[in-house]
Amino acid sequence: MKKHKLETYLEVYDSISELPDTIQNLINKAQQARDNAYAPYSRFKVGAALELANGTIVTGNNQENAAFPSGLCAERVAVFYAGANYPGERILHLALTVKSGHKVINTPTPPCGACRQSLAEYEVGQGQPIALYFMGETGKVVKSGSIRDLLPLIFDSSFLEKL
Ligand code: THU
């Protein structure tokens, strides 16, 4: 038996102002998208903005449903829109921010597991990392250089039996 240690390195920024202008702009777009989220049930609004290699910024927000599992997270709304409308276009960065109707969230809030898996599909497919910047409503911003840093032991198409 051998033990393997998995390590992840994340960058933590004290505030948005420490980041390059392009990333600040992307976070700004995610904040605007967040405020338009449809989250009447959880009152937890999430906004995502991703920048494509052709310069396009695609945004998404969470869309809830009275039949709860029928809703979708902000990250998947954004990444599926990008996949549907800009197929094959490389995703460079993704910014993520949240806002609760119950309290101010200043803890950086990472994507849920299902969204990490969905994002991994595109990162693996493009062969280049997607840098992710996530935050709460205010406060620190965390950067992970790759979805792999948030999803070790990634499951991808290489595990599927080839037809
Ligand atoms: N949510 C997202 O949009 N992204 C995540 O990564 C985590 C959760 C949404 C789903 C639901 O509308 C609300 O946040 C509460 O879970």
Side-chain angles (χ1 to χ4, degrees):
M1 193 275 276
K2 282 183 185 165
K3 281 191 179 174
H4 287 269
K5 184 176 175 186
L6 304 173
E7 273 186 319
T8 292
Y9 288 92
L10 300 171
E11 294 175 10
V12 181
Y13 296 85
D14 278 335
S15 84
I16 298 173
S17 61
E18 285 185 12
L19 290 156
D21 286 352
T22 51
I23 302 301
Q24 289 191 37
N25 180 50
L26 197 63
I27 291 174
N28 201 263
K29 293 281 189 301
Q31 288 167 335
Q32 288 169 19
R34 178 197 68 197
D35 293 343
N36 290 328
Y38 177 64
Y41 304 105
S42 70
R43 298 184 67 209
F44 187 81
K45 293 185 168 191
V46 185
L50 49 88
E51 186 181 349
L52 305 178
N54 68 5
T56 304
I57 292 178
V58 169
T59 61
N61 48 35
N62 50 329
Q63 296 293 317
E64 297 187 346
N65 193 283
F68 290 179
S70 301
L72 197 62
C73 292
E75 299 90 317
R76 278 176 284 166
V77 169
V79 80
F80 292 161
Y81 185 92
N85 292 284
Y86 304 95
E89 195 66 38
R90 187 180 154 205
I91 301 168
L92 303 177
H93 318 283
L94 171 65
L96 193 57
T97 177
V98 305
K99 187 175 186 172
S100 168
H102 301 287
K103 58 173 185 172
V104 175
I105 297 180
N106 51 26
T107 308
T109 309
C112 77
C115 287
R116 294 179 204 198
Q117 180 66 29
S118 294
L119 291 164
E121 183 75 17
Y122 295 89
E123 180 171 294
V124 171
Q126 69 184 23
Q128 303 264 13
I130 299 171
L132 182 71
Y133 298 82
F134 58 90
M135 63 181 298
E137 180 183 347
T138 59
K140 294 183 195 299
V141 182
V142 175
K143 175 187 178 186
S144 75
S146 164
I147 304 301
R148 287 181 189 279
D149 292 329
L150 299 178
L151 190 65
L153 305 180
I154 216 163
F155 178 84
D156 65 14
S157 62
S158 66
F159 292 98
L160 299 179
E161 195 182 343
K162 299 279 183 287
L163 296 173

